[in-house]
Amino acid sequence: MNGEKTQVEDVHQEFYDFRFDESDFFKVDSGLTPEIISQISDEKKDPAWMREFRQHALEVYSRMKMPDWGPSVEGLNMDNIVTYVRPNTERMNTRWEDVPDDIKETFDRLGIPQAERTSLAGVGAQYDSELVYHNVREEVARAGVIYTDIESALHGPYADLIRERFMKLVPLTDHKFAALHGAVWSGGSFVYVPKGVHVDIPLQSYFRLNAPGAGQFEHTLIIVDEGAYLHFIEGCSAPKYNVANLHAGCVELFVGRNATLRYSTIENWSKNMYNLNTKRAKVEEGGKIEWVTGSFGSHISYLYPMSILAGRGSRSEFTGVTFAGAGQILDTGCKIVHAAPDTTSYVNTRSISKSGGENIFRSAVVVEKNAENSKSAVSCQSLMVDRISRSDTVPVMDVKTNRADIGHEARIGRISNDAVFYLMSRGVTEEEARALIVSGFADNVSKELPLEYAVEMNNLIRIEMKGVIG
Amino acid sequence: MGEMLLNRPIAATFRWLHVNGTKVNVPDTVLERSVDVEENGEETVVTECATPNEKFVGSVGENGTLRLIQIRRKEDPEQVINDVSVRCAKGARFEWYRVILGGAATYDNCSVALEGEESSFAASIGYRLGGTEKADINCEAIHTGPKSRSDIYSSGVLSGQADKLLRGTIDLRHGCVGAEGAEMEDVLLMDEDVRNRTVPVILCTEEDVAGAHGATIGRPDANTVYYLQSRGVPREETEKMLARAKMDAIIRRIPAESVRDALLKAEDEEA
């Protein structure tokens, strides 16, 4: 079998690639001007501070440079991007029956209402720039858990709480697309889990970008108070168009003392998407952030969830798998800042490159001077399925104290012919053998997901690995 | 020449980490050396970094071997810039032994092109920095030759407020079928004001290759310290022994006996 190759087909997106007419949707003009930002503020009924914040963000955006160290984003012309699209629904609904039919059908086909019934404690569904559905189980709400759209929360009893934290973890000057987000953000969720409350089943937000040439800029802000627990799942998809779409969301997570937040993402944007997303968590004493990430879609991704371990004994775990196929450059990884004593971080990632796809694993582990007795272990493994693809590993460790123990290991290789041969000798076809090996390779993520999502992810890998022997 | 950006790696990363090259005032004069090893030839070159700006260009012919041993001592000029570039033909081997025994500022760049089939590169980098000394090192193995091999090994000790940045890149490019690259760094941090930055990069555009890197960074191992203390070795002495071991791991690899012995003797005196 030496010299034989399995031709692995491109990522199948058909399941997600459907669309409905949006001619009756409200859209702002494409491009970025102070007038467009004002128009978004009007639509959102922004409080005065937010109106000012958006305009300031636009100024910051205008003076910041494009990133010069990652994949090219030259194909993204902001003059062609529509930053706000409001679906033909006047308000957010708490019953699926009240959601307009075409939008409801979209989420039905994505399995969201069904998942809500079987395995979720609450669901938020965003369509283009607006949340169209938000609901949380009664018993969860009774425990004091707040799960709502961030815009109405801006006007309610949590307004001050949000104002205190909004874009404080991810400042506008963080990078150009953070500033862009600050100017045009729309939609997203606000979650507050009170002290000591353990939310046993996950909450999920699903983001669907349907409009061609549009951007989605949702803002997610989660506060898990002292001793509480939450698993939050984020899903996203879009139909494929011939024009560039942009996702520049922002996630800010505040994990309180001895609290735990698990933040899982299954990302399957279409291959015309520029996914320039920013996620950051601040963890207080004894708290823990767990990131679980599966990245399958988008044309270009820049995605590095960051953990700031601010309290003594706080912890971060990052588990990720990235699958890059034809036309995809997925620059993903994570950043960890150990900023307190006795902090711990653990990173375990896998990436698979095929059909000309490019994976870049990029990480930063920074151990500040006061982070004595901190520990960090990073492990990343990459699989090259063919010789037209690319896989890079670019980690940085910056250690500013001697009282820390830092370890790092990385490996790049191919599918073992011996393993394929062994499985074939047991009656498995070559195609199945390769799919099985890749599924096993991505096992680090699937075993961290709730069963239904793990099955979906493994199916996705199986479909993607389906090919012919050539 | 004025201020220039040195040690710019092949792959850049997050700007806020300040590892995408270092701005340095570069002296106008450069001491250039050039060595061409002929087919099946073998040569060992020893250089002492006695001038502030040195450039070494080498080529190794088929099945030839070039060994470059470079020692940077405390008493050398405060700032030393050392640039090495070597090309290896089929079956050729380049060995780089770099020992940094101090000095206010050291900027090393070593770029090796493994162009020939089964060509190989082995780097052994040792450093012992204290006070406010700093070292900024960029080491690249560029594989285009089939079945080429690279092995970048570094081991060092930082104390006081020493600051070290090591970028190591294994670049597995199209055509290097069957190539393997490995990179390992082992850093011992002795004092709380030190700073260590490690950037071990693997770039890969070929399928049938293997690349691996690993790094361990930290203080003297508590179990080892405890064991030695339980055998009557005072803590201070234990730490000295462990630091010495890091440097010895590199020095003992040096193939030139006279250089190796002199360095080991100097280490004894230092201890």
Side-chain angles (χ1 to χ4, degrees), chain B residues 1 33 46 57 63-64 93 119 128 157 175-176 179 196 212 217 220 226 230 233 253 260-261:
Chain B
M1 289 172 103
R33 299 168 208 259
V46 182
V57 180
N63 300 315
R93 179 170 177 79
S119 54
R128 189 187 62 228
V157 187
C176 73
N196 176 77
I217 303 156
Y226 178 78
S230 72
V233 184
R253 290 177 167 216
R260 188 177 60 232
D261 290 349

Side-chain angles (χ1 to χ4, degrees), chain B residues 234-270:
Chain B
R235 186 179 177 94
E236 200 180 324
E237 194 61 31
T238 300
E239 290 184 350
K240 272 186 184 171
M241 282 168 67
L242 293 171
R244 166 79 195 265
K246 294 287 173 209
M247 289 305 286
D248 278 11
I250 298 298
I251 293 170
R252 289 186 189 280
R253 290 177 167 216
I254 293 174
E257 200 177 338
S258 58
V259 178
R260 188 177 60 232
D261 290 349
L263 286 171
L264 289 172
K265 194 176 165 202
E267 285 294 292
D268 284 341
E269 284 163 10
E270 178 79 18

Side-chain angles (χ1 to χ4, degrees), chain B residues 118-133:
Chain B
E118 295 190 15
S119 54
S120 63
F121 166 49
S124 303
I125 305 163
Y127 48 85
R128 189 187 62 228
L129 302 171
T132 56
E133 292 170 338

Side-chain angles (χ1 to χ4, degrees), chain A residues 297-336:
Chain A
S298 79
H299 169 47
I300 303 281
S301 263
Y302 278 69
L303 182 62
Y304 326 97
M306 182 174 190
S307 307
I308 300 168
L309 301 176
R312 181 182 285 272
S314 53
R315 290 170 290 165
S316 168
E317 277 183 19
F318 181 90
T319 308
V321 64
T322 308
F323 199 119
Q328 292 183 279
I329 306 176
L330 305 185
D331 198 309
T332 62
C334 62
K335 301 186 255 190
I336 299 148

Side-chain angles (χ1 to χ4, degrees), chain A residues 264-280:
Chain A
S264 301
T265 306
I266 299 293
E267 180 267 299
N268 201 11
W269 292 116
S270 57
K271 288 195 204 166
N272 57 316
M273 183 69 80
Y274 285 78
N275 182 31
L276 312 173
N277 210 10
T278 311
K279 298 179 180 183
R280 197 159 296 171

Side-chain angles (χ1 to χ4, degrees), chain A residues 286-304:
Chain A
K288 186 180 185 190
I289 176 75
E290 301 170 351
W291 303 96
V292 181
T293 301
S295 295
F296 293 87
S298 79
H299 169 47
I300 303 281
S301 263
Y302 278 69
L303 182 62
Y304 326 97

